[in-house]
Each structure stands twice: as C-alpha cells, then as structure tokens.
Amino acid sequence: MKKLTVSSFRKMKEAGEKIVMVTAYDAPTAAMAYEAGVEMLLVGDSLGMAVLGYKNTLPVTMEDMLHHCKAVRRGAPEAFVVGDMTFMSYQISTEEALHNAARLMKEAGCNAVKLEGGAEYAPLVGRLAACGIPVVAHAGLLPQKVEAMGGYRVQGKTEEAARQLLADAHALEDAGAFALVLECIPAALAEKISGELTIPTIGIGAGIGCNGQVQVIHDILGMSCYLPKHAKCYADAGSMIRKALGDYVAEVKAGSFPGPGNSF
Ligand code: KIV
C-alpha cells in the first residue's frame, strides 16, 4: 500500500473515497489489517475491554498504550498508526498532555494521536498540532466519560445537543485536528457535520454519511462477548477458536496428539 500521511486522508475525502480504520492491539492483527487494505490502524483504549479484561476504558494506562502501540508498529511498519490518549493522560495539564502525546510518537512510532472531547479541548488540539503532533479528535459518545454519563448512550439526539456537537466539530477542525471520529450519533447529524467540515469524519455508529468508518476488530471478527448495534460480524472467529481449542483438548486427553508427524 502507498505510504499514507495526514494529507492523504483529506485528499480521500475530497475524492469521495471512504477511509477504512480498524482497531489493532498486537503485531499479527496489525499486519493482517494492513495487508487487507485498512488505511488507519487505531490502537484504541478499547484495548481495556478487548484485550486486558477491564469493564471499560478507564483503567488503561499510558504504559499499556505504549506497549500495544509498539507491538502494532512492529507488526505493520508502514501503516498509519493512531495511538489513543488514555483517560487522564491529557486532562490534567497541557504539559502532561504534550509529554504523553510525544511519547506515543517518539517511543511507539505512532503517526498521530486521538483524544476524546468537544470544543473545550480545542486549545489542546491547537497546541499539539502546533508541535507537529497530528490529532484525530473524537466527539459524540465519549467512552472515557461513561461514569459521568451513566452508561453508553447515543448522543446529539436533541436539537440543542446536535447544535453543540456541530459547534464542537467546527472548533476541533479550526484548532487543527486532521480528522474527527464521530461515535454513536444520529446518521443525519453525522452527515451534516461531514458536509460542513473540510477534514474527514470517521464514524462508529454514526451512519453511512461519514467520510470513513472505524470498528473494534474484536467486534467485526466475532470475538466480543457483546456485539454493539453499530457493529457487524464479518467472521465467527470466536467459535472457530473455541472449536479448535476444544479439539486440541480432546486430542491431548485421548493421547492422539502429538502424532508421528508432530514428533522428532
Ligand atoms: O478506543 C477505541 O477503540 C475507539 C474507537 C471505538 C473509535 O475510540
């Protein structure tokens, strides 16, 4: 695949070409996603639920994130990799935010960082962008605010909330974000935002009118315990793995593995 940069994504939007993003947390899946043509790999803090066994994204640390970003970079050296800013890695102070974002780029080789929040984060997005750190903004449903919101709910449903989201999107673009993830908002609102912005929008539960789509890899491969409404299962890898492991257990118990072909 041709090496992609932040301007490639803007050009894709201008050309009407959809952008494909998926999460990746380890080297082999990063390599497979890159080979399949995925254009942006997101080491999302969904890492917490998908891989680390947490109930939400809040416990994920910068050290966890760096560890997995490095693995993804090793698996897909040429891919465009976005590292997520973890809960409280960018909220405490601008200095801490700059330091943590720089670590994702310098230590893990990320091409960009992503952070959750609306217009209130525009000044930070501006600082990061001014330092040469490309930022994917993330508006709509903000999983890092799950406790404050009392659950995961579709956002932007009232007229006022929709107006606020549109204002957030403009503020984040004006501050220098090069792309905007829109999570769980009505499709018509996402289409309106996508039409007004010049930067690409990447939707998850935000309908077909976005300039690209992002999904959690475990959801689309059938490896999650729960499939959100916005996701679609493209394979039942969970069943295949359970069946394969069941067969392995049965053969070891029966004494039929290893066979002559697996022995020296
Ligand atoms: O952490 C993540 O995987 C994300 C996507 C769902 C956009 O933020």
Side-chain angles (χ1 to χ4, degrees):
M1 202 197 299
K2 190 173 142 268
K3 192 127 175 88
L4 298 169
T5 65
V6 290
S7 62
S8 315
F9 299 111
R10 192 183 283 248
K11 284 187 195 136
M12 287 169 78
K13 171 167 177 150
E14 283 161 10
E17 185 186 344
K18 296 280 189 186
I19 298 164
V20 187
M21 186 188 220
V22 79
T23 64
Y25 316 103
D26 61 54
T29 26
M32 285 188 273
Y34 180 71
E35 282 160 24
V38 172
E39 288 141 340
M40 266 199 223
L41 297 180
L42 170 64
V43 189
D45 59 2
S46 51
L47 167 68
M49 296 89 90
V51 173
L52 300 181
Y54 295 129
K55 75 175 190 334
N56 58 40
T57 61
L58 305 192
V60 179
T61 64
M62 275 304 296
E63 298 310 319
D64 295 330
M65 187 50 68
L66 285 160
H67 181 75
H68 288 270
C69 286
K70 287 178 191 174
V72 165
R73 174 48 79 212
R74 285 192 291 270
E78 300 302 317
F80 192 95
V81 175
V82 181
D84 229 349
M85 299 287 288
T86 57
F87 180 55
M88 296 316 283
S89 72
Y90 58 99
Q91 291 93 339
I92 295 169
S93 70
T94 305
E95 284 65 31
E96 272 194 50
L98 291 174
H99 172 73
N100 286 321
R103 289 190 75 192
L104 287 172
M105 296 189 71
K106 289 170 72 154
E107 295 176 34
C110 290
N111 300 93
V113 304
K114 177 171 83 57
L115 57 86
E116 296 180 11
E120 68 281 14
Y121 284 94
L124 175 59
V125 169
R127 270 308 290 284
L128 291 164
C131 294
I133 299 178
V135 181
V136 178
H138 181 157
L141 173 61
L142 307 177
Q144 290 181 8
K145 293 211 168 133
V146 61
E147 295 295 351
M149 293 186 307
Y152 300 107
R153 299 205 174 83
V154 175
Q155 302 293 305
K157 291 210 302 196
T158 65
E159 240 178 68
E160 197 195 327
R163 239 194 326 272
Q164 181 59 54
L165 260 174
L166 190 60
D168 286 341
H170 278 287
L172 293 162
E173 165 166 292
D174 294 347
F178 80 93
L180 173 65
V181 165
L182 292 173
E183 179 161 357
C184 289
I185 66 170
L189 175 60
E191 191 170 352
K192 182 172 168 60
I193 294 173
S194 307
E196 290 196 13
L197 297 192
T198 59
I199 60 170
T201 58
I202 302 177
I204 173 162
I208 198 69
C210 294
N211 306 116
Q213 297 294 326
V214 56
Q215 285 288 320
V216 169
I217 194 157
H218 288 61
D219 290 343
I220 60 173
L221 296 185
M223 290 170 62
S224 305
C225 338
Y226 158 75
L227 190 69
K229 176 177 159 68
H230 61 66
K232 175 177 167 185
C233 229
Y234 287 85
D236 192 1
S239 298
M240 285 172 65
I241 291 169
R242 272 185 221 101
K243 158 99 176 59
L245 290 173
D247 291 350
Y248 170 63
V249 169
E251 289 196 6
V252 171
K253 293 286 185 194
S256 58
F257 177 85
N262 316 108
S263 305
F264 303 97

